[in-house]
C-alpha cells in the first residue's frame, strides 16, 4: 500500500503576540488541506519590520508555545529565531524541507503578507519548496495578480478582525485583550509586563 506523504502547514509570523486570528487561520487550513501538522515559526528579525521595536524572540516563541500547546497537531519551530540575521521565508522553507525531506509543505499566509511575496528574494525556489495558501484577512483584499496559478490556493477563513498591533496598543492603553488572544497569552503578557504603556502602568 502506498504511504501517504506527510502534509505539513507552515505558519510564519512575528507573533508579537500570537492571537486568535492566527490560530483560526491555521486551524481552518489544517482542516481544509488535511494537514498532519501545522508548524508555527516565530520570526527572528523580520526584514520587513527592521525599523520597529519587536519583543524578545524568546517571549514571542514562548507565547506561541503557550497558545498552541493544547492542539495535538500544532507545533512550534525555533528555526527562524535560532538562525542569526534577518528572517527570509526562503531560509525558513529550506530549513523545514531539510528537517522533513519527504513532506509536502504548505505555507500559510494572510492576504497582506501574500501581497509581499513577489518582493521576496528567490521567489522561484520558494514556490518549488512549498504550496502557498492565502487566507482572507479583514481589511486586506486578496490580490493574486502576478502570482503563479498553480502555486497558490486562496481560502476563506472565518473573519477575525484582530491584529497583533491592535493587541499591543490595547495592552499599552490598559484595555483588555481577553478573548482576542488565548488566556495563557493574556497571563504571559501580564507576567512579563510586555507592551507597557506610556502612563507608567
Ligand atoms: P502586526 O500587527 O504586528 O503586523 P499581525 O497581526 O499582522 O501582527 P503577524 O505575526 O504579522 O500578525 O502575522 C503572521 C501571519 O498571520 C501573516 O501571514 C498574517 O497575514 C496572518 N494574520 C495575522 N492576523 C490575521 C487574521 N486576523 N486573519 C488571518 N490571517 C492573519
Ligand atoms: Mg502583520
Amino acid at each position: 500500500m502506498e504511504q501517504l506523504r506527510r502534509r505539513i502547514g507552515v505558519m510564519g509570523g512575528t507573533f508579537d503576540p500570537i492571537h486568535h486570528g492566527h490560530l483560526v487561520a491555521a486551524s481552518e487550513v489544517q482542516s481544509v488541506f488535511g494537514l498532519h501538522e501545522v508548524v508555527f515559526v516565530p520570526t527572528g528579525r523580520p526584514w520587513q519590520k527592521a525599523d520597529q521595536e519587536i519583543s524578545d524572540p524568546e517571549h514571542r516563541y514562548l507565547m506561541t508555545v503557550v497558545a498552541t500547546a493544547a492542539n495535538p497537531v500544532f507545533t512550534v519551530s525555533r528555526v527562524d529565531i535560532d538562525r542569526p540575521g534577518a528572517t527570509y521565508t526562503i531560509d525558513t522553507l529550506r530549513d523545514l524541507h531539510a528537517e522533513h525531506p519527504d513532506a509536502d509543505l504548505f505555507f500559510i499566509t494572510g492576504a497582506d503578507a501574500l501581497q509581499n511575496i513577489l518582493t521576496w528574494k528567490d521567489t522561484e525556489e520558494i514556490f518549488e519548496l512549498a504550496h502557498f495558501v492565502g487566507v482572507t484577512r479583514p481589511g486586506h483584499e486578496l490580490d493574486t495578480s502576478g502570482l503563479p496559478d498553480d502555486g497558490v490556493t486562496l481560502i476563506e477563513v472565518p473573519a477575525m478582525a484582530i491584529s497583533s498591533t491592535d493587541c499591543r496598543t490595547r495592552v499599552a492603553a490598559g484595555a483588555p485583550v481577553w478573548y482576542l488572544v488565548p488566556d495563557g497569552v493574556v497571563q504571559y503578557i501580564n507576567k512579563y509586563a510586555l507592551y507597557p504603556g506610556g502612563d507608567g502602568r
Side-chain angles (χ1 to χ4, degrees), residues 11 19-31 38 40 74 108-110 133 135-136 155 157-158 160:
M11 178 91 195
H19 55 67
H20 280 130
H22 300 128
L23 294 161
V24 164
S27 169
E28 187 69 9
V29 175
Q30 186 271 321
S31 157
V38 177
F40 288 71
F74 284 0
I108 305 164
T109 176
V133 184
V135 300
T136 47
I155 74 157
V157 302
M160 294 277 216

Side-chain angles (χ1 to χ4, degrees), residues 54-119:
I54 293 170
S55 300
D56 187 292
E58 293 303 330
H59 281 318
R60 296 185 289 104
Y61 170 76
L62 285 171
M63 287 191 282
T64 307
V65 169
V66 165
T68 55
N71 189 325
V73 298
F74 284 0
T75 59
V76 188
S77 166
R78 294 184 60 94
V79 284
D80 282 354
I81 59 177
D82 287 345
R83 186 187 321 102
T87 292
Y88 293 93
T89 299
I90 185 76
D91 298 321
T92 311
L93 291 175
R94 280 182 188 140
D95 286 356
L96 291 175
H97 176 69
E99 262 179 48
H100 309 276
D102 298 325
D104 290 328
L105 301 180
F106 295 77
F107 192 86
I108 305 164
T109 176
D112 54 322
L114 192 60
Q115 228 95 91
N116 294 328
I117 288 185
L118 288 177
T119 69

Side-chain angles (χ1 to χ4, degrees), residues 95-181:
D95 286 356
L96 291 175
H97 176 69
E99 262 179 48
H100 309 276
D102 298 325
D104 290 328
L105 301 180
F106 295 77
F107 192 86
I108 305 164
T109 176
D112 54 322
L114 192 60
Q115 228 95 91
N116 294 328
I117 288 185
L118 288 177
T119 69
W120 293 353
K121 62 170 193 169
D122 306 310
T123 324
E124 264 178 39
E125 192 192 342
I126 278 183
F127 285 108
E128 278 164 25
L129 284 169
H131 185 82
F132 275 68
V133 184
V135 300
T136 47
R137 178 172 188 186
H140 300 271
E141 285 286 308
L142 266 178
D143 172 12
T144 54
S145 47
L147 296 170
D149 290 347
D150 53 349
V152 184
T153 308
L154 304 180
I155 74 157
E156 294 226 354
V157 302
M160 294 277 216
I162 309 175
S163 74
S164 299
T165 301
D166 286 346
C167 293
R168 293 192 300 273
T169 306
R170 291 181 67 86
V171 173
V177 288
W178 288 111
Y179 316 118
L180 297 174
V181 305

Side-chain angles (χ1 to χ4, degrees), residues 29-50:
V29 175
Q30 186 271 321
S31 157
V32 169
F33 284 81
L35 304 180
H36 298 97
E37 179 182 349
V38 177
V39 187
F40 288 71
V41 191
T43 53
R45 188 105 197 118
W47 58 272
Q48 298 99 326
K49 298 184 180 178

